[in-house]
Amino acid sequence: MKGTVLTSIKENIATLTFGHPASNSFPTELLDRLIENINRLSEDSSIQVIILQSEGDKTFCAGASFDELIAINNLEEGKQFFSGFANLINAMRTCSKPIIGRVQGKAVGGGVGIIAATDYCFATEKADIKLSELTIGIGPFVIEPAVTRKIGIAAFSKLSLDATEWHSAYWAKENNLYARVFENTRDMDAYVESLSKKLASYNPDSLKAMKKVFWEGTENWKTLLIERAEISGQLVLSDFTKEALQKFKK
């Protein structure tokens, strides 16, 4: 039940694939492994482009592990738990290579944060999104900077306050989370492969410099996202959240 992170490399393009039996959700250990792989590829001079994707054909990512969330007993544990996605977003942000997102299915919570932290993202019609954190008494505090950076505060407000509603892949495209939406994975994969090969043929120094330009103004995120993790770490200990989480206990 720990999940997998697999890396394949072909023609200067690295494809990172994560997976977990629970709808591609992330326990802390799996997050750490994904971060380690991104950091390693960032330092690999033979890699020009990274494609980030998940296993299966239904769910891109269901966010953080509910089993671990339910088990939090104190502030330090809470802060550490929510720092997982903070560290992942920061690893994607500081990675020296452009990261292309391939989203084949639905994304919830931290999964939406991963999508927002890619540099260029493509999806199928099945790739609806939802931020449901408010329904359990916390909020999408850690991923907010990444999501707002892509879709703006008005769309983020709608997404976070409509916490029980799915927003379609086309809504996400209209609000700049996705660059293009495809009818099926076959067409998406063909496009992603073609684009990645083009990018891999460009001057690597230019790509590296462009990556820095994309993320200008986010230099404080290393501190900011950990501060946001502490907010969620406090809220998860509230009576409201503990009661809301009871229905998820196995």
Side-chain angles (χ1 to χ4, degrees):
M1 293 296 289
K2 293 180 179 180
T4 58
V5 176
L6 303 175
T7 303
S8 63
I9 298 173
K10 183 180 180 182
E11 298 176 353
N12 307 113
I13 301 168
T15 301
L16 264 179
T17 307
F18 64 87
H20 192 277
S23 301
N24 292 331
S25 59
F26 272 102
T28 299
E29 181 180 335
L30 190 61
L31 276 173
D32 290 342
R33 285 160 57 194
L34 182 58
I35 292 166
E36 289 171 4
N37 276 268
I38 290 172
N39 289 338
R40 176 175 54 81
L41 293 171
S42 179
E43 299 296 323
D44 188 337
S45 60
S46 70
I47 302 301
Q48 300 286 83
V49 182
I50 298 171
I51 299 171
L52 182 62
Q53 62 182 19
S54 66
E55 293 180 347
D57 56 6
K58 292 183 179 180
T59 304
F60 173 72
C61 179
S65 166
F66 262 91
D67 289 342
E68 289 189 9
L69 181 65
I70 292 168
I72 294 171
N73 289 314
N74 56 63
L75 178 58
E76 186 56 36
E77 289 179 357
K79 182 179 178 181
Q80 183 175 358
F81 174 82
F82 288 103
S83 293
F85 274 94
N87 294 332
L88 175 58
I89 290 171
N90 275 320
M92 295 173 70
R93 174 180 67 86
T94 58
C95 179
S96 64
K97 324 293 182 180
I99 299 176
I100 307 301
R102 173 198 176 274
V103 183
Q104 83 287 16
K106 292 182 176 181
V108 183
V112 179
I114 292 175
I115 292 168
T118 62
D119 298 297
Y120 206 17
C121 194
F122 304 94
T124 71
E125 292 180 339
K126 297 179 181 179
D128 298 349
I129 59 173
K130 179 166 67 172
L131 295 182
S132 57
E133 287 88 341
L134 282 177
T135 64
I136 57 170
I138 53 176
F141 298 105
V142 171
I143 66 171
E144 179 277 322
V147 179
T148 297
R149 173 179 166 271
K150 279 288 178 73
I151 72 176
I153 192 64
F156 173 77
S157 298
K158 183 181 190 306
L159 193 59
S160 57
L161 295 177
D162 285 343
T164 62
E165 300 297 322
W166 288 101
H167 291 67
S168 74
Y170 288 105
W171 183 93
K173 177 182 177 295
E174 289 168 4
N175 287 280
N176 301 312
L177 191 66
Y178 301 140
R180 289 186 63 173
V181 173
F182 297 85
E183 290 185 1
N184 53 65
T185 55
R186 182 185 65 254
D187 292 345
M188 176 176 64
D189 288 342
Y191 186 86
V192 169
E193 180 181 8
S194 175
L195 173 67
S196 298
K197 287 181 177 179
K198 288 178 184 177
L199 292 174
S201 72
Y202 297 158
N203 183 345
D205 292 333
S206 296
L207 289 175
K208 189 173 183 178
M210 283 304 302
K211 174 81 182 209
K212 290 182 178 179
V213 169
F214 294 157
W215 291 92
E216 278 183 359
T218 64
E219 293 79 8
N220 68 323
W221 281 21
K222 187 173 182 180
T223 301
L224 174 63
L225 300 192
I226 299 302
E227 291 174 349
R228 294 293 186 82
E230 188 167 357
I231 295 173
S232 293
Q234 291 174 333
L235 287 169
V236 78
L237 299 173
S238 68
D239 292 339
F240 184 102
T241 298
K242 286 187 175 298
E243 184 176 342
L245 289 173
Q246 288 300 313
K247 62 183 177 181
F248 294 100
K249 281 193 173 182
K250 294 179 180 179

